[in-house]
Amino acid sequence: MNIAQIATTRRTCKAFDPQRKIPDAVMADLRTVLRFAPASVNVQPWHFVVAASDESKAKIAATLAGNYAYNAPKVARCSHAVVFCAKTDLDEAHLAALLAQEEADGRFPTPEGKALQNNARHFYVKSHQDKQDLDTWVDRQIYIALGNLLLAAGALGVDACPMEGIDTEAIDAALDLRVRGLRSVVIVALGYSAEDDFNARLPKSRLPEVSLFSDI
């Protein structure tokens, strides 16, 4: 299957089969995709909380009440739920850890290369701190990882449902995220479609190419 076929056949799963679990090897591949997602200046401002047990999924599902109750069964019934978290602060400890890892991985053939990367990353972080839009910039990186996961899941035959309809404050409290310097952004339920997944029987719908592209 080529990349265009994956993009045109993957869909958002609306109901998961609770009896079907993602094999460990497939889940390992999806975790690798998340770990290696691209980010601006390789800032990697994320953390992924993966819930696989019934108990852990129930804890997350319990936060989805009121206006978000429609999403609770998706989390409860899926194979794995992934909470995409953002770091609340890109502090010196995080930036130093990134630089040390890049050096250990052989990213800097010269001291000048190391200094250039360090300076560039600090510039962008400080720039967004000064503009007071650091969370917005970080969230954009989170959504790059989200897109990678959705496409990878489709390639591996795994159904997915990204959910912004969540109570982030309730999730943060339930998972003790804030004390870890994290905040929840979006959840992705992963697994396999059930018979009552109405979206599996519907065609995909997108605006025509002519309205989306301008060739210059």
Side-chain angles (χ1 to χ4, degrees):
M1 183 179 288
N2 65 36
I3 196 69
Q5 287 177 309
I6 295 167
T8 55
T9 56
R10 67 145 303 278
R11 57 186 170 72
T12 297
C13 182
K14 299 296 185 178
F16 290 92
D17 182 347
Q19 304 305 315
R20 294 190 65 191
K21 304 301 180 183
I22 300 173
D24 290 344
V26 174
M27 199 62 209
D29 284 345
L30 293 176
R31 291 169 75 111
T32 297
V33 167
L34 285 174
R35 180 175 170 232
F36 283 88
S40 178
V41 291
N42 198 28
V43 72
Q44 301 176 61
W46 45 52
H47 186 86
F48 309 103
V49 177
V50 181
S53 69
D54 290 341
E55 293 76 15
S56 60
K57 288 181 292 183
K59 177 184 285 190
I60 297 171
T63 71
L64 302 173
N67 291 333
Y68 308 120
Y70 67 96
N71 275 330
K74 298 167 189 170
V75 172
R77 292 175 55 176
C78 72
S79 173
H80 292 68
V82 182
V83 182
F84 284 61
C85 303
K87 289 185 174 294
T88 56
D89 182 26
L90 301 181
D91 57 17
E92 284 299 323
H94 177 65
L95 299 182
L98 292 172
L99 195 68
Q101 186 63 57
E102 289 166 336
E103 186 167 37
D105 290 335
R107 292 284 299 170
F108 308 127
T110 66
E112 292 77 15
K114 179 180 178 181
L116 182 64
Q117 174 71 335
N118 187 45
N119 292 339
R121 192 152 47 223
H122 275 80
F123 168 79
Y124 280 103
V125 171
K126 187 177 186 305
S127 173
H128 288 289
Q129 288 171 337
D130 291 345
K131 290 189 292 185
Q132 299 184 338
D133 70 345
L134 185 67
D135 284 354
T136 301
W137 182 61
V138 165
D139 286 354
R140 289 200 291 264
Q141 316 313 313
I142 299 294
Y143 277 84
I144 293 173
L146 170 63
N148 275 24
L149 178 65
L150 296 180
L151 197 59
L156 294 171
V158 174
D159 294 313
C161 180
M163 289 171 274
E164 285 187 314
I166 60 177
D167 185 338
T168 55
E169 291 186 3
I171 294 170
D172 291 355
L175 301 181
D176 295 323
L177 295 180
R178 289 287 174 165
V179 298
R180 301 168 60 190
L182 302 170
R183 58 182 176 84
S184 58
V185 178
V186 64
I187 295 176
V188 176
L190 299 168
Y192 300 99
S193 178
E195 289 295 325
D196 57 338
D197 178 11
F198 69 87
N199 204 34
R201 298 183 293 276
L202 298 176
K204 289 177 75 73
S205 178
R206 296 294 189 271
L207 291 171
E209 182 176 340
V210 67
S211 69
L212 298 176
F213 295 90
S214 296
D215 297 302
I216 61 173

